[in-house]
Amino acid sequence: MKPSVTPISSRDKILEVAEVLFARRGYAGVGLREVAEQAGLGKSSLFHHFKSKDALYGEVLGQVLGRIRAVLDPIVGSDVTPELRLEAWVDGLVDVLATYPCAARLLMRALVEDDPFGPELLEVNAAEQVLAGILEGIHGLLDDGVRQGVFRDMSIPHSVQTLIGATVYHFASGEFGENLLGQPLVSSDAVRRHKTELVRMLQHGLLA
Amino acid sequence: MKPSVTPISSRDKILEVAEVLFARRGYAGVGLREVAEQAGLGKSSLFHHFKSKDALYGEVLGQVLGRIRAVLDPIVGSDVTPELRLEAWVDGLVDVLATYPCAARLLMRALVEDDPFGPELLEVNAAEQVLAGILEGIHGLLDDGVRQGVFRDMSIPHSVQTLIGATVYHFASGEFGENLLGQPLVSSDAVRRHKTELVRMLQHGLLA
DNA sequence: GTCTATAGCTAGATAGAC
DNA sequence: GTCTATCTAGCTATAGAC
């Protein structure tokens, strides 16, 4: 019998704990000592797997963005009306953000940074590319809808911003959001509710 | 003749530069050495005006939240329909975020923190109170609208989150948002457009 | 691939002269 | 109210033994 928990490589373990820590306290708020401790390694051993803190951060970000893109790409490429595609896009994004609770915070932190992705670094540029792909997808989706007359005329960039804000921020809001809601952000009830509210807002606004 | 630029106290100068730096790089990303330099003081002199970095951060946050609340409180207390009040609320919030470009970033960073406001500290608790007041205002506004039948039935906390995300995130998105829009976030054109898009979304959603 | 040791620097905060 | 000097502790990163 194989062990029920597959042992993972040190590299993956580092990525795993770094993801949690960067999400919780941001790039500058995390020291590699703590990452190493939680990964069960000496601090210096990190540098065997990642050549710098920036590189580690870039890989963490790229990994998270990759998971998101893997969910959204099939949706924007699917063969249904823009209206249904948008609904599925929101549904998929909310699901993936609720599934990986670090994702929203990492992404929100990155988007709010001055220089969104840090230095000119291989790992970092890769992450940027993935994000660009995601944006292209939702931009194209909205554009389709407008050109087919399904969506009203709109400023697509502003609507993309609104979509990001309404979805990513919500799951990035941590304790604050949970206090507001009175329940965990990722509880199945809260997730369902949030989807409903978003879709209704996108379809008909707030008016009765 | 008095000088055209009123000289400000060291204390105010410190708050001024700290606001910019905390907004740009977050609490952990800013060192007091840099704050002191930009304020034209030695590092130790900061501790004469603020007893710790936490206290300085708390005051910066409280000041910014105070400015926002000063704009929104009269609006939620005004004597018009919930629909018009919500429109004015969005209008006012967007204006104040566009007027003080640090505000959105500081606020978004604070909301995404684990522990939204840091340690149990006098200055920090004050900031929390101001935020609580702002939230109470918008909550009451939405509640009024629902009870009067002007707004559809909704989860008010989720809608508050969506409103925060759609407004605060947008102005906190810095370079990323400007690249997406192709123009400065706070240009009068972009601000006008964003207001229009938000109000239309809140009123009628995206559908044609 | 992991370790100890350490370099070189910066952090927040304090003491005490002026 | 501002300064210099200093403390302790943290940081990223490297060198080199095992």
Side-chain angles (χ1 to χ4, degrees), chain B residues 175-193:
Chain B
E175 284 184 19
F176 172 80
E178 307 210 327
N179 288 341
L180 203 63
L181 264 56
Q183 64 181 329
L185 291 172
V186 297
S187 70
S188 62
D189 182 59
V191 170
R192 193 166 23 80
R193 252 202 219 294

Side-chain angles (χ1 to χ4, degrees), chain A residues 10 41-42 44-45 48-49:
Chain A
S10 287
L41 290 172
S44 317
S45 303
H48 177 78
H49 300 281

Side-chain angles (χ1 to χ4, degrees), chain A residues 4 25 33-34 55 60 78 91-92 106 135 159 165 172 186 188 208:
Chain A
S4 58
R25 295 208 294 277
R33 189 182 54 96
E34 193 177 3
V60 167
S78 73
D91 203 77
L106 276 167
L135 290 175
S159 293
V186 299
S188 63

Side-chain angles (χ1 to χ4, degrees), chain A residues 36-56:
Chain A
E37 264 170 23
Q38 294 197 18
L41 290 172
K43 194 176 45 161
S44 317
S45 303
L46 297 190
F47 292 92
H48 177 78
H49 300 281
F50 304 93
K51 69 174 172 300
S52 68
K53 185 184 181 182
D54 281 330
L56 172 59

Side-chain angles (χ1 to χ4, degrees), chain A:
Chain A
M1 289 244 291
K2 285 177 129 183
S4 58
V5 176
T6 315
I8 60 175
S9 67
S10 287
R11 196 190 143 83
D12 288 343
K13 182 72 188 167
I14 294 166
L15 284 168
E16 193 179 299
V17 309
E19 184 179 318
V20 176
L21 288 171
F22 283 138
R24 266 218 280 262
R25 295 208 294 277
Y27 179 84
V30 174
L32 295 183
R33 189 182 54 96
E34 193 177 3
V35 176
E37 264 170 23
Q38 294 197 18
L41 290 172
K43 194 176 45 161
S44 317
S45 303
L46 297 190
F47 292 92
H48 177 78
H49 300 281
F50 304 93
K51 69 174 172 300
S52 68
K53 185 184 181 182
D54 281 330
L56 172 59
Y57 177 72
E59 285 217 30
V60 167
L61 207 55
Q63 195 174 256
V64 161
L65 287 168
R67 279 185 219 135
I68 296 174
R69 185 169 182 184
V71 171
L72 298 182
D73 267 3
I75 292 170
V76 299
S78 73
D79 201 25
V80 295
T81 67
E83 195 182 345
L84 286 174
R85 261 186 290 161
L86 179 59
E87 208 177 309
W89 190 89
V90 169
D91 203 77
L93 180 55
V94 168
D95 277 337
V96 71
L97 294 179
T99 306
Y100 305 103
C102 295
R105 279 193 175 187
L106 276 167
L107 184 49
M108 185 52 68
R109 285 187 191 277
L111 293 174
V112 171
E113 287 310 315
D114 234 353
D115 139 40
F117 281 84
E120 301 289 330
L121 209 68
L122 212 82
E123 295 83 353
V124 168
N125 284 347
E128 262 181 280
Q129 295 298 317
V130 181
L131 179 59
I134 295 171
L135 290 175
E136 225 173 287
I138 181 60
H139 186 102
L141 198 168
L142 292 177
D143 200 44
D144 274 5
V146 172
R147 277 188 295 152
Q148 291 179 29
V150 181
F151 298 145
R152 61 170 169 73
D153 193 34
M154 66 173 94
S155 162
I156 294 180
H158 278 92
S159 293
V160 169
Q161 284 279 80
T162 303
L163 281 172
I164 294 174
T167 49
V168 181
Y169 158 71
H170 176 73
F171 287 99
S173 66
E175 284 185 19
F176 172 80
E178 307 209 327
N179 288 341
L180 203 63
L181 263 57
Q183 64 181 328
L185 291 172
V186 299
S187 70
S188 63
D189 181 59
V191 170
R192 192 168 22 80
R193 253 202 220 293
H194 191 65
K195 282 181 188 173
T196 309
E197 293 296 326
L198 279 177
V199 169
R200 290 177 76 185
M201 176 92 76
L202 294 174
Q203 287 183 344
H204 305 110
L206 285 182
L207 295 187

